[in-house]
Amino acid sequence: MAHTVLAVGAAAVTAAGSVWYLPALADLRAGADRTRSRRGAAAACVSGWSTTGIVAVLLLVAGGWWITGAAAGIGALVTAGLRIGAAVRRHQERRETARQWGQLGRALPPRPAGRSRRAVAALLAVGLAAAAVTAVCGVAADLS
């Protein structure tokens, strides 16, 4: 598959991802009005979508696949690190909230089910895995 076609696809996906990264940018701009875990998750979101945009540009500019692949890999590692850090912070914040409510002698408000978030995350993970497999198969076909 030509680099140009992949670059246009990556650019289109990045543009469509604005429904996620624009609210994340708003969370980052809000600063201390948002919890640390929410800002960390927003940074992970912006990092991931920025990686997709960078890959789109590199597909047009870079000559070899290794440059684009390295940028995608590094971006994925940074995004995963930021997201894991946000999850750890969120867990700490929940523990602290539970401790504070316990001191008041009251029960915690019920947690939302979160089923829809897990479903979206699973669909996104499967889609990204399918895209990665397709890219690897395309590279393997080009090399043979």
Side-chain angles (χ1 to χ4, degrees), residues 1 18-19 25 33-34 39 43 51 59 65-66 71 82 89 93 97 108-109 118-119 124 126 134:
M1 191 177 309
S18 65
V19 297
L25 284 171
D33 287 345
R34 304 290 191 270
R39 290 191 313 256
T51 299
L59 282 168
W65 283 98
W66 70 271
L82 288 170
R89 274 191 231 104
E93 289 167 359
T97 301
L108 279 175
R118 282 186 231 124
L124 189 60
V126 169
T134 303

Side-chain angles (χ1 to χ4, degrees), residues 3-125:
H3 288 260
T4 307
V5 174
L6 290 174
V8 169
V13 168
T14 303
S18 65
V19 297
W20 284 292
Y21 62 75
L22 290 180
L25 284 171
D27 282 345
L28 289 174
R29 284 190 48 104
D33 287 345
R34 304 290 191 270
T35 61
R36 287 184 59 205
S37 64
R38 189 165 174 177
R39 290 191 313 256
C45 178
V46 171
S47 170
W49 285 107
S50 298
T51 299
T52 308
I54 290 168
V55 166
V57 171
L58 286 176
L59 282 168
L60 290 174
V61 178
W65 283 98
W66 70 271
I67 296 171
T68 306
I74 291 169
L77 287 174
V78 168
T79 301
L82 288 170
R83 187 61 188 116
I84 289 168
V88 168
R89 274 191 231 104
R90 180 66 181 142
H91 179 70
Q92 292 169 348
E93 289 167 359
R94 283 187 177 158
R95 265 196 324 210
E96 178 65 19
T97 301
R99 187 188 63 75
Q100 290 172 349
W101 277 97
Q103 287 177 345
L104 291 173
R106 301 188 182 233
L108 279 175
R111 286 178 53 186
R115 228 191 254 173
S116 61
R117 283 186 175 193
R118 282 186 231 124
V120 169
L123 287 172
L124 189 60

